[in-house]
Amino acid sequence: MSTLSAEEKYRNFIPEESRKYLEKLFVEFNRTVTLEVYTAEGEHREYNEFTLNICRAFNVFSDKIELREYAVDSEMGKNRNIIATPTILISPDEYDIRFLGAPAGEEGRALVEALNLASKGADGISDSTKEILEPLEKDRLIKIFASPTCPYCPGQAINAFKAAVARPDKISAWNISTLDNENMAHEYKVGSVPHTDINDTVTFTGLEPEEKFMLQLLFLKPLEEVVEEQRAAKAEATEETVYEDVDLVIVGGGPAGMSAGIYAKRSGLSCIILEKQGVGGQVALTPKVENYPGFTNIQGFELVEILGSHARQYTDIHQFAEVKDAKYGPRIEIVTDEKHYQAKGVLLATGVNVRMLGVPGENKFYGHGVSYCATCDGNFYKGGKAVIVGGGNTALTDALHLKHLGIETTIVHRGDKFRAEKVLQDSVNREGIKIIWNSQVTEIIGEDQVESARIINKDGAETILDTDVVFVAIGHTANTELAEKLGCELRPDGFIKVDPTQRTSVERVYAAGDVTGGVRQIITATGQGAAAALTAFDDFTRLFDDSKENTKNIW
């Protein structure tokens, strides 16, 4: 007979390191959070048991978590409109935040953050989110379809939870596990996660910056459509061109751009940050950051909030402001839909994008047989066939992950040897994963779903390979359109060429962050942003005489 008490049993259900973190977090809760758990006999027994165990453990850890357990078919279950087992409700008398399915793996992180948000209430919501959602008049039901293995899913779920806390009178947020809600995932045609559905009207795939998520939630349409409509309305309202003089225009609101904004303003320069999406860049979409000094472990969106809050103390950040044109001269003109900025200099912190294959069928099947995250979407293809395109660490890691899921996996690589670490190459060989060398995928074929991939060898031989999914892992491309327009020299690999002080080949044009290549890390981006701003200050002091309304001989 076990000598463990029930309390000890549930306390030990969670590993010691995680337990210490949770106990510390729960102590700081502002108020008690209620957990209601709904289960049913027979169906999903293992998922029900796991859910009860984790919620009971949370209840044991803190007196600020109150646990209530009900059967799905109970009167309370009917009143709460419970449609799946297991289901968890978070403070249901205040919010409609619920988890459909067991909060295993990455979804456990989303559950912890939901508890944290419920404990803080509106105090935990950013001013920008409150401002965006304040005009909302009609109800919104957000369904986030997630997977326990998807590191990006918690971020999108947290966006939804923040919305529900900001406007509990209008917004419901459901996190739905595709693992134990397969029928619902099939009904909503989920082929890639995170998959977001709002009011059964609009859907989005992937993790999005918080402000972008909130605007799409408000307008019930993709942000690109919202921006285009607002642009057209402004064009009709006025044809007058608005000019603004500024010392430094910073293009890009990631770590490099925000760091540059802080240092530029502290140096006495007037500056503006223009960001065509939400702030944060790639960091906002990074599930976990463990190598940024000062934070042993922090979620990407949390780090972005800290950086963004700091930067806004010094300078304005214009989000969703896309640069349409740039003209070089004694004053560099940066053109957006709203203004023409006339600047002494420009800092390009425009970052990178995931590299796509650019072949027929790729866009058609994105999210439904074409994916850029095998960890996120591999579970959908268990028992099937997969093609991995690439030869670096990510490609081989993805291949091993898929192989372990029981998926027949083939790697297609354009070279005759991998770039990946030797330990990964050895693992791929040991697992017997098929490799097609010196070849490229030139088309993804199918009717309603992916059926095969057209592969061409360097000698011109063509093969049609049957597959259920194509995972693309071929790196990133630098966003250099503005750099090229301004005449900046690029490196052979396509990134902007800079000197150690972040100067480009064009005077008064600087670059920092991932767009410059090299070691693409958050810490190097912030350092480069700071260096670029200080370099700009030195250059402007040398080149400009503000006491006269002209420039010195800068040519």
Side-chain angles (χ1 to χ4, degrees), residues 172-225:
S172 300
W174 296 7
N175 184 94
I176 303 170
S177 174
T178 56
L179 191 64
D180 36 340
N181 290 281
E182 293 181 358
N183 290 339
M184 195 180 302
H186 181 73
E187 176 188 348
Y188 281 83
K189 297 181 173 58
V190 179
S192 183
V193 290
H195 175 106
T196 304
D197 178 277
I198 304 175
N199 283 21
D200 297 339
T201 301
V202 294
T203 61
F204 308 100
T205 301
L207 172 59
E208 298 165 310
E210 182 176 335
E211 289 84 356
K212 180 179 181 181
F213 180 93
M214 299 305 167
L215 285 166
Q216 293 177 151
L217 175 62
L218 175 66
F219 290 102
L220 268 186
K221 60 181 65 174
L223 180 62
E224 293 73 18
E225 291 184 20

CSV table of all heavy atoms in Angstrom, one decimal, residues 172-225:
chain,number,residue,atom,x,y,z
A,172,SER,N,-15.2,35.4,-26.2
A,172,SER,CA,-14.9,34.1,-25.7
A,172,SER,C,-13.7,33.5,-26.4
A,172,SER,O,-13.5,33.7,-27.6
A,172,SER,CB,-16.1,33.1,-25.9
A,172,SER,OG,-17.3,33.6,-25.3
A,173,ALA,N,-12.9,32.8,-25.6
A,173,ALA,CA,-11.6,32.2,-26.1
A,173,ALA,C,-11.5,30.7,-25.8
A,173,ALA,O,-11.5,30.4,-24.6
A,173,ALA,CB,-10.4,33.0,-25.6
A,174,TRP,N,-11.5,29.9,-26.8
A,174,TRP,CA,-11.4,28.4,-26.6
A,174,TRP,C,-10.1,27.9,-27.2
A,174,TRP,O,-9.8,28.2,-28.3
A,174,TRP,CB,-12.5,27.7,-27.2
A,174,TRP,CG,-13.9,28.0,-26.7
A,174,TRP,CD1,-14.2,29.0,-25.8
A,174,TRP,CD2,-15.1,27.4,-27.1
A,174,TRP,NE1,-15.6,29.0,-25.6
A,174,TRP,CE2,-16.2,28.0,-26.3
A,174,TRP,CE3,-15.4,26.3,-28.0
A,174,TRP,CZ2,-17.5,27.6,-26.5
A,174,TRP,CZ3,-16.8,26.0,-28.1
A,174,TRP,CH2,-17.8,26.6,-27.3
A,175,ASN,N,-9.3,27.2,-26.4
A,175,ASN,CA,-8.2,26.5,-26.9
A,175,ASN,C,-8.6,25.0,-27.1
A,175,ASN,O,-9.0,24.3,-26.1
A,175,ASN,CB,-7.0,26.5,-25.9
A,175,ASN,CG,-5.7,25.9,-26.4
A,175,ASN,OD1,-4.9,26.5,-26.9
A,175,ASN,ND2,-5.6,24.6,-26.1
A,176,ILE,N,-8.5,24.5,-28.3
A,176,ILE,CA,-9.0,23.2,-28.7
A,176,ILE,C,-7.8,22.3,-29.1
A,176,ILE,O,-7.1,22.6,-30.1
A,176,ILE,CB,-10.0,23.3,-29.8
A,176,ILE,CG1,-11.2,24.2,-29.4
A,176,ILE,CG2,-10.6,21.9,-30.2
A,176,ILE,CD1,-12.1,24.6,-30.6
A,177,SER,N,-7.6,21.3,-28.3
A,177,SER,CA,-6.5,20.3,-28.6
A,177,SER,C,-7.0,19.4,-29.8
A,177,SER,O,-8.0,18.8,-29.7
A,177,SER,CB,-6.2,19.5,-27.4
A,177,SER,OG,-5.3,18.5,-27.8
A,178,THR,N,-6.2,19.5,-30.9
A,178,THR,CA,-6.5,18.6,-32.0
A,178,THR,C,-6.2,17.1,-31.7
A,178,THR,O,-6.7,16.3,-32.4
A,178,THR,CB,-5.6,19.0,-33.2
A,178,THR,OG1,-4.2,19.0,-32.9
A,178,THR,CG2,-6.0,20.4,-33.7
A,179,LEU,N,-5.4,16.9,-30.7
A,179,LEU,CA,-5.1,15.5,-30.3
A,179,LEU,C,-6.3,14.7,-29.9
A,179,LEU,O,-6.5,13.6,-30.2
A,179,LEU,CB,-4.0,15.5,-29.3
A,179,LEU,CG,-3.3,14.1,-29.0
A,179,LEU,CD1,-2.6,13.6,-30.2
A,179,LEU,CD2,-2.4,14.2,-27.8
A,180,ASP,N,-7.2,15.3,-29.0
A,180,ASP,CA,-8.3,14.6,-28.5
A,180,ASP,C,-9.6,15.3,-29.0
A,180,ASP,O,-10.7,15.0,-28.4
A,180,ASP,CB,-8.3,14.5,-27.0
A,180,ASP,CG,-7.7,15.7,-26.3
A,180,ASP,OD1,-6.9,16.4,-26.9
A,180,ASP,OD2,-7.9,15.8,-25.1
A,181,ASN,N,-9.6,16.1,-30.0
A,181,ASN,CA,-10.8,16.6,-30.6
A,181,ASN,C,-10.7,16.5,-32.2
A,181,ASN,O,-10.8,17.5,-32.9
A,181,ASN,CB,-11.0,18.1,-30.2
A,181,ASN,CG,-11.4,18.2,-28.7
A,181,ASN,OD1,-12.6,18.0,-28.4
A,181,ASN,ND2,-10.5,18.5,-27.9
A,182,GLU,N,-10.3,15.3,-32.6
A,182,GLU,CA,-10.0,15.1,-34.0
A,182,GLU,C,-11.2,15.5,-34.9
A,182,GLU,O,-11.1,16.0,-36.0
A,182,GLU,CB,-9.6,13.7,-34.3
A,182,GLU,CG,-8.2,13.4,-33.7
A,182,GLU,CD,-7.8,12.0,-34.0
A,182,GLU,OE1,-8.6,11.2,-34.6
A,182,GLU,OE2,-6.7,11.6,-33.5
A,183,ASN,N,-12.4,15.1,-34.5
A,183,ASN,CA,-13.6,15.4,-35.3
A,183,ASN,C,-13.8,16.9,-35.5
A,183,ASN,O,-14.2,17.3,-36.6
A,183,ASN,CB,-14.8,14.7,-34.7
A,183,ASN,CG,-14.8,13.2,-34.8
A,183,ASN,OD1,-14.1,12.6,-35.6
A,183,ASN,ND2,-15.6,12.6,-33.9
A,184,MET,N,-13.6,17.6,-34.4
A,184,MET,CA,-13.8,19.1,-34.5
A,184,MET,C,-12.7,19.7,-35.4
A,184,MET,O,-13.0,20.6,-36.2
A,184,MET,CB,-13.8,19.7,-33.2
A,184,MET,CG,-14.3,21.2,-33.1
A,184,MET,SD,-14.3,21.9,-31.5
A,184,MET,CE,-15.3,20.7,-30.6
A,185,ALA,N,-11.5,19.2,-35.3
A,185,ALA,CA,-10.4,19.7,-36.1
A,185,ALA,C,-10.7,19.4,-37.6
A,185,ALA,O,-10.5,20.2,-38.5
A,185,ALA,CB,-9.1,19.1,-35.7
A,186,HIS,N,-11.2,18.2,-37.9
A,186,HIS,CA,-11.6,17.8,-39.3
A,186,HIS,C,-12.7,18.7,-39.8
A,186,HIS,O,-12.7,19.2,-40.9
A,186,HIS,CB,-12.0,16.4,-39.3
A,186,HIS,CG,-12.4,15.9,-40.7
A,186,HIS,ND1,-11.5,15.7,-41.7
A,186,HIS,CD2,-13.6,15.6,-41.2
A,186,HIS,CE1,-12.1,15.3,-42.8
A,186,HIS,NE2,-13.4,15.3,-42.5
A,187,GLU,N,-13.7,19.0,-38.9
A,187,GLU,CA,-14.8,19.9,-39.3
A,187,GLU,C,-14.4,21.3,-39.7
A,187,GLU,O,-14.9,21.9,-40.6
A,187,GLU,CB,-15.8,20.0,-38.1
A,187,GLU,CG,-17.0,20.9,-38.3
A,187,GLU,CD,-17.8,21.1,-37.1
A,187,GLU,OE1,-17.6,20.4,-36.1
A,187,GLU,OE2,-18.7,22.1,-37.1
A,188,TYR,N,-13.3,21.8,-39.0
A,188,TYR,CA,-12.8,23.1,-39.3
A,188,TYR,C,-11.7,23.1,-40.3
A,188,TYR,O,-11.0,24.1,-40.4
A,188,TYR,CB,-12.4,23.8,-38.0
A,188,TYR,CG,-13.6,24.4,-37.2
A,188,TYR,CD1,-14.4,23.6,-36.4
A,188,TYR,CD2,-14.0,25.7,-37.4
A,188,TYR,CE1,-15.5,24.1,-35.7
A,188,TYR,CE2,-15.1,26.2,-36.7
A,188,TYR,CZ,-15.8,25.4,-35.9
A,188,TYR,OH,-16.9,25.9,-35.2
A,189,LYS,N,-11.4,21.9,-40.9
A,189,LYS,CA,-10.4,21.8,-41.9
A,189,LYS,C,-9.0,22.3,-41.4
A,189,LYS,O,-8.3,23.0,-42.1
A,189,LYS,CB,-10.8,22.5,-43.2
A,189,LYS,CG,-12.1,22.0,-43.8
A,189,LYS,CD,-12.4,22.8,-45.1
A,189,LYS,CE,-13.6,22.2,-45.8
A,189,LYS,NZ,-14.8,22.1,-45.1
A,190,VAL,N,-8.7,21.8,-40.2
A,190,VAL,CA,-7.4,22.2,-39.6
A,190,VAL,C,-6.3,21.3,-40.2
A,190,VAL,O,-6.3,20.1,-40.0
A,190,VAL,CB,-7.4,22.0,-38.1
A,190,VAL,CG1,-6.1,22.4,-37.5
A,190,VAL,CG2,-8.5,22.9,-37.5
A,191,GLY,N,-5.3,21.9,-40.9
A,191,GLY,CA,-4.2,21.1,-41.4
A,191,GLY,C,-2.9,21.6,-40.9
A,191,GLY,O,-1.9,21.0,-41.2
A,192,SER,N,-2.9,22.7,-40.2
A,192,SER,CA,-1.7,23.3,-39.6
A,192,SER,C,-2.1,24.1,-38.4
A,192,SER,O,-3.1,24.7,-38.4
A,192,SER,CB,-1.0,24.2,-40.7
A,192,SER,OG,0.2,24.7,-40.2
A,193,VAL,N,-1.2,24.0,-37.4
A,193,VAL,CA,-1.5,24.8,-36.1
A,193,VAL,C,-0.4,25.7,-35.8
A,193,VAL,O,0.7,25.5,-36.3
A,193,VAL,CB,-1.7,23.8,-35.0
A,193,VAL,CG1,-3.0,23.0,-35.1
A,193,VAL,CG2,-0.5,22.8,-34.8
A,194,PRO,N,-0.7,26.8,-35.1
A,194,PRO,CA,-2.0,27.2,-34.6
A,194,PRO,C,-3.0,27.6,-35.7
A,194,PRO,O,-2.6,28.3,-36.6
A,194,PRO,CB,-1.7,28.3,-33.6
A,194,PRO,CG,-0.4,28.9,-34.1
A,194,PRO,CD,0.3,27.8,-34.7
A,195,HIS,N,-4.2,27.1,-35.6
A,195,HIS,CA,-5.3,27.5,-36.6
A,195,HIS,C,-6.3,28.3,-35.8
A,195,HIS,O,-6.9,27.8,-34.8
A,195,HIS,CB,-5.9,26.2,-37.1
A,195,HIS,CG,-7.0,26.4,-38.0
A,195,HIS,ND1,-7.0,26.3,-39.4
A,195,HIS,CD2,-8.3,26.7,-37.8
A,195,HIS,CE1,-8.1,26.5,-39.9
A,195,HIS,NE2,-9.0,26.8,-39.0
A,196,THR,N,-6.6,29.5,-36.2
A,196,THR,CA,-7.5,30.4,-35.5
A,196,THR,C,-8.8,30.6,-36.3
A,196,THR,O,-8.7,30.9,-37.5
A,196,THR,CB,-6.9,31.8,-35.3
A,196,THR,OG1,-5.7,31.6,-34.6
A,196,THR,CG2,-7.8,32.7,-34.5
A,197,ASP,N,-9.9,30.3,-35.7
A,197,ASP,CA,-11.2,30.6,-36.3
A,197,ASP,C,-12.0,31.6,-35.4
A,197,ASP,O,-12.0,31.4,-34.2
A,197,ASP,CB,-12.0,29.3,-36.4
A,197,ASP,CG,-13.4,29.5,-37.0
A,197,ASP,OD1,-14.3,29.9,-36.2
A,197,ASP,OD2,-13.6,29.3,-38.2
A,198,ILE,N,-12.5,32.6,-36.0
A,198,ILE,CA,-13.3,33.6,-35.3
A,198,ILE,C,-14.7,33.6,-35.9
A,198,ILE,O,-14.9,33.9,-37.1
A,198,ILE,CB,-12.7,35.0,-35.4
A,198,ILE,CG1,-11.2,35.0,-34.9
A,198,ILE,CG2,-13.5,36.0,-34.6
A,198,ILE,CD1,-10.5,36.3,-35.1
A,199,ASN,N,-15.7,33.3,-35.0
A,199,ASN,CA,-17.1,33.4,-35.4
A,199,ASN,C,-17.5,32.5,-36.6
A,199,ASN,O,-18.4,32.9,-37.3
A,199,ASN,CB,-17.5,34.8,-35.6
A,199,ASN,CG,-17.7,35.6,-34.3
A,199,ASN,OD1,-17.2,35.2,-33.3
A,199,ASN,ND2,-18.5,36.7,-34.4
A,200,ASP,N,-16.7,31.5,-36.9
A,200,ASP,CA,-16.9,30.7,-38.1
A,200,ASP,C,-17.0,31.5,-39.3
A,200,ASP,O,-17.6,31.2,-40.3
A,200,ASP,CB,-18.3,29.9,-37.9
A,200,ASP,CG,-18.2,28.9,-36.8
A,200,ASP,OD1,-17.1,28.5,-36.4
A,200,ASP,OD2,-19.3,28.5,-36.3
A,201,THR,N,-16.3,32.6,-39.3
A,201,THR,CA,-16.3,33.6,-40.4
A,201,THR,C,-14.9,33.8,-41.0
A,201,THR,O,-14.8,33.8,-42.3
A,201,THR,CB,-16.8,35.0,-39.9
A,201,THR,OG1,-18.1,34.8,-39.4
A,201,THR,CG2,-16.9,36.0,-41.1
A,202,VAL,N,-13.9,33.9,-40.2
A,202,VAL,CA,-12.5,34.1,-40.8
A,202,VAL,C,-11.6,33.2,-40.1
A,202,VAL,O,-11.8,32.8,-38.9
A,202,VAL,CB,-12.0,35.6,-40.6
A,202,VAL,CG1,-12.8,36.5,-41.4
A,202,VAL,CG2,-12.1,36.0,-39.1
A,203,THR,N,-10.6,32.7,-40.8
A,203,THR,CA,-9.6,31.8,-40.2
A,203,THR,C,-8.2,32.3,-40.5
A,203,THR,O,-8.0,33.0,-41.6
A,203,THR,CB,-9.7,30.4,-40.8
A,203,THR,OG1,-9.5,30.4,-42.2
A,203,THR,CG2,-11.1,29.8,-40.5
A,204,PHE,N,-7.2,32.0,-39.6
A,204,PHE,CA,-5.8,32.4,-39.8
A,204,PHE,C,-5.0,31.2,-39.4
A,204,PHE,O,-5.3,30.5,-38.5
A,204,PHE,CB,-5.5,33.6,-39.0
A,204,PHE,CG,-6.4,34.8,-39.1
A,204,PHE,CD1,-7.4,35.1,-38.2
A,204,PHE,CD2,-6.3,35.6,-40.2
A,204,PHE,CE1,-8.3,36.1,-38.4
A,204,PHE,CE2,-7.2,36.7,-40.4
A,204,PHE,CZ,-8.2,36.9,-39.5
A,205,THR,N,-3.9,31.1,-40.0
A,205,THR,CA,-2.9,30.0,-39.7
A,205,THR,C,-1.6,30.7,-39.2
A,205,THR,O,-1.1,31.6,-39.8
A,205,THR,CB,-2.6,29.1,-40.9
A,205,THR,OG1,-3.9,28.5,-41.3
A,205,THR,CG2,-1.7,28.0,-40.5
A,206,GLY,N,-1.1,30.1,-38.1
A,206,GLY,CA,0.2,30.6,-37.6
A,206,GLY,C,0.0,31.6,-36.4
A,206,GLY,O,-1.1,32.0,-36.1
A,207,LEU,N,1.2,31.8,-35.8
A,207,LEU,CA,1.2,32.8,-34.7
A,207,LEU,C,1.4,34.2,-35.2
A,207,LEU,O,2.1,34.4,-36.1
A,207,LEU,CB,2.4,32.4,-33.8
A,207,LEU,CG,2.8,33.4,-32.6
A,207,LEU,CD1,1.6,33.6,-31.7
A,207,LEU,CD2,4.0,32.9,-31.9
A,208,GLU,N,0.6,35.1,-34.6
A,208,GLU,CA,0.6,36.5,-35.1
A,208,GLU,C,1.0,37.4,-33.9
A,208,GLU,O,0.7,37.1,-32.8
A,208,GLU,CB,-0.8,36.9,-35.6
A,208,GLU,CG,-1.2,36.0,-36.8
A,208,GLU,CD,-2.7,36.1,-37.1
A,208,GLU,OE1,-3.5,35.9,-36.1
A,208,GLU,OE2,-3.1,36.4,-38.2
A,209,PRO,N,1.6,38.6,-34.2
A,209,PRO,CA,1.8,39.6,-33.2
A,209,PRO,C,0.5,40.0,-32.6
A,209,PRO,O,-0.6,40.0,-33.2
A,209,PRO,CB,2.4,40.8,-34.0
A,209,PRO,CG,3.0,40.1,-35.2
A,209,PRO,CD,2.1,39.0,-35.6
A,210,GLU,N,0.5,40.4,-31.3
A,210,GLU,CA,-0.7,40.7,-30.5
A,210,GLU,C,-1.5,41.8,-31.2
A,210,GLU,O,-2.8,41.6,-31.3
A,210,GLU,CB,-0.3,41.1,-29.1
A,210,GLU,CG,-1.5,41.4,-28.2
A,210,GLU,CD,-1.1,41.7,-26.8
A,210,GLU,OE1,0.0,41.3,-26.4
A,210,GLU,OE2,-1.8,42.4,-26.1
A,211,GLU,N,-1.0,42.9,-31.6
A,211,GLU,CA,-1.8,44.0,-32.1
A,211,GLU,C,-2.4,43.6,-33.4
A,211,GLU,O,-3.6,43.9,-33.7
A,211,GLU,CB,-0.9,45.2,-32.4
A,211,GLU,CG,-0.5,45.9,-31.1
A,211,GLU,CD,0.8,45.3,-30.5
A,211,GLU,OE1,1.3,44.3,-31.0
A,211,GLU,OE2,1.3,45.9,-29.5
A,212,LYS,N,-1.7,42.8,-34.3
A,212,LYS,CA,-2.3,42.3,-35.5
A,212,LYS,C,-3.5,41.4,-35.2
A,212,LYS,O,-4.6,41.5,-35.8
A,212,LYS,CB,-1.3,41.6,-36.3
A,212,LYS,CG,-1.8,41.0,-37.6
A,212,LYS,CD,-0.8,40.3,-38.4
A,212,LYS,CE,-1.3,39.8,-39.8
A,212,LYS,NZ,-0.3,39.1,-40.5
A,213,PHE,N,-3.3,40.5,-34.2
A,213,PHE,CA,-4.4,39.6,-33.8
A,213,PHE,C,-5.7,40.4,-33.4
A,213,PHE,O,-6.8,40.1,-33.8
A,213,PHE,CB,-3.9,38.7,-32.7
A,213,PHE,CG,-5.0,37.7,-32.2
A,213,PHE,CD1,-5.0,36.4,-32.7
A,213,PHE,CD2,-5.9,38.1,-31.2
A,213,PHE,CE1,-6.0,35.5,-32.2
A,213,PHE,CE2,-6.8,37.2,-30.8
A,213,PHE,CZ,-6.9,35.9,-31.3
A,214,MET,N,-5.4,41.4,-32.6
A,214,MET,CA,-6.6,42.2,-32.0
A,214,MET,C,-7.3,43.0,-33.1
A,214,MET,O,-8.5,43.1,-33.1
A,214,MET,CB,-6.1,43.1,-30.9
A,214,MET,CG,-5.4,42.5,-29.8
A,214,MET,SD,-6.5,41.2,-29.0
A,214,MET,CE,-5.3,40.4,-27.9
A,215,LEU,N,-6.6,43.5,-34.1
A,215,LEU,CA,-7.2,44.3,-35.2
A,215,LEU,C,-8.0,43.3,-36.0
A,215,LEU,O,-9.1,43.7,-36.5
A,215,LEU,CB,-6.2,45.0,-36.0
A,215,LEU,CG,-5.6,46.2,-35.3
A,215,LEU,CD1,-4.3,46.7,-36.1
A,215,LEU,CD2,-6.6,47.4,-35.3
A,216,GLN,N,-7.5,42.2,-36.3
A,216,GLN,CA,-8.3,41.2,-37.1
A,216,GLN,C,-9.5,40.7,-36.4
A,216,GLN,O,-10.6,40.5,-37.0
A,216,GLN,CB,-7.4,40.0,-37.5
A,216,GLN,CG,-6.3,40.5,-38.5
A,216,GLN,CD,-5.3,39.3,-38.8
A,216,GLN,OE1,-4.7,39.3,-39.9
A,216,GLN,NE2,-5.1,38.4,-37.9
A,217,LEU,N,-9.4,40.6,-35.1
A,217,LEU,CA,-10.5,40.2,-34.2
A,217,LEU,C,-11.6,41.3,-34.3
A,217,LEU,O,-12.8,41.0,-34.4
A,217,LEU,CB,-10.0,40.0,-32.8
A,217,LEU,CG,-11.1,39.7,-31.7
A,217,LEU,CD1,-11.8,38.4,-32.0
A,217,LEU,CD2,-10.4,39.6,-30.3
A,218,LEU,N,-11.2,42.5,-34.2
A,218,LEU,CA,-12.1,43.7,-34.2
A,218,LEU,C,-12.9,43.8,-35.5
A,218,LEU,O,-14.1,43.9,-35.6
A,218,LEU,CB,-11.4,45.0,-33.9
A,218,LEU,CG,-12.2,46.3,-34.0
A,218,LEU,CD1,-13.3,46.3,-32.9
A,218,LEU,CD2,-11.3,47.5,-33.9
A,219,PHE,N,-12.1,43.7,-36.6
A,219,PHE,CA,-12.7,43.9,-38.0
A,219,PHE,C,-13.2,42.6,-38.6
A,219,PHE,O,-13.8,42.7,-39.7
A,219,PHE,CB,-11.7,44.6,-38.9
A,219,PHE,CG,-11.4,46.0,-38.5
A,219,PHE,CD1,-10.2,46.4,-37.8
A,219,PHE,CD2,-12.3,47.0,-38.7
A,219,PHE,CE1,-10.0,47.7,-37.4
A,219,PHE,CE2,-12.1,48.4,-38.4
A,219,PHE,CZ,-10.9,48.7,-37.7
A,220,LEU,N,-12.9,41.5,-38.1
A,220,LEU,CA,-13.3,40.2,-38.7
A,220,LEU,C,-12.8,40.0,-40.1
A,220,LEU,O,-13.6,39.6,-41.0
A,220,LEU,CB,-14.8,40.0,-38.6
A,220,LEU,CG,-15.4,39.3,-37.4
A,220,LEU,CD1,-16.9,39.1,-37.5
A,220,LEU,CD2,-14.7,38.0,-37.1
A,221,LYS,N,-11.6,40.4,-40.4
A,221,LYS,CA,-11.0,40.3,-41.7
A,221,LYS,C,-9.5,40.3,-41.6
A,221,LYS,O,-9.0,40.9,-40.6
A,221,LYS,CB,-11.5,41.3,-42.7
A,221,LYS,CG,-11.3,42.7,-42.3
A,221,LYS,CD,-11.8,43.7,-43.3
A,221,LYS,CE,-13.4,43.6,-43.3
A,221,LYS,NZ,-14.0,44.7,-44.2
A,222,PRO,N,-8.8,39.9,-42.5
A,222,PRO,CA,-7.3,39.9,-42.5
A,222,PRO,C,-6.8,41.4,-42.4
A,222,PRO,O,-7.4,42.3,-43.0
A,222,PRO,CB,-6.8,39.3,-43.8
A,222,PRO,CG,-8.0,38.4,-44.2
A,222,PRO,CD,-9.2,39.1,-43.7
A,223,LEU,N,-5.7,41.6,-41.7
A,223,LEU,CA,-5.2,42.9,-41.4
A,223,LEU,C,-4.9,43.6,-42.8
A,223,LEU,O,-5.1,44.8,-42.9
A,223,LEU,CB,-4.0,42.9,-40.6
A,223,LEU,CG,-3.3,44.2,-40.3
A,223,LEU,CD1,-4.3,45.1,-39.5
A,223,LEU,CD2,-2.0,44.0,-39.5
A,224,GLU,N,-4.4,42.9,-43.7
A,224,GLU,CA,-4.1,43.5,-45.0
A,224,GLU,C,-5.3,44.1,-45.6
A,224,GLU,O,-5.2,45.2,-46.2
A,224,GLU,CB,-3.5,42.4,-46.0
A,224,GLU,CG,-2.2,41.9,-45.6
A,224,GLU,CD,-2.2,40.9,-44.4
A,224,GLU,OE1,-3.3,40.4,-44.1
A,224,GLU,OE2,-1.2,40.7,-43.8
A,225,GLU,N,-6.5,43.5,-45.5
A,225,GLU,CA,-7.7,44.1,-46.0
A,225,GLU,C,-8.1,45.4,-45.2
A,225,GLU,O,-8.5,46.4,-45.8
A,225,GLU,CB,-8.8,43.1,-46.0
A,225,GLU,CG,-8.7,42.0,-47.0
A,225,GLU,CD,-9.9,41.0,-46.9
A,225,GLU,OE1,-11.0,41.5,-46.5
A,225,GLU,OE2,-9.8,39.9,-47.4
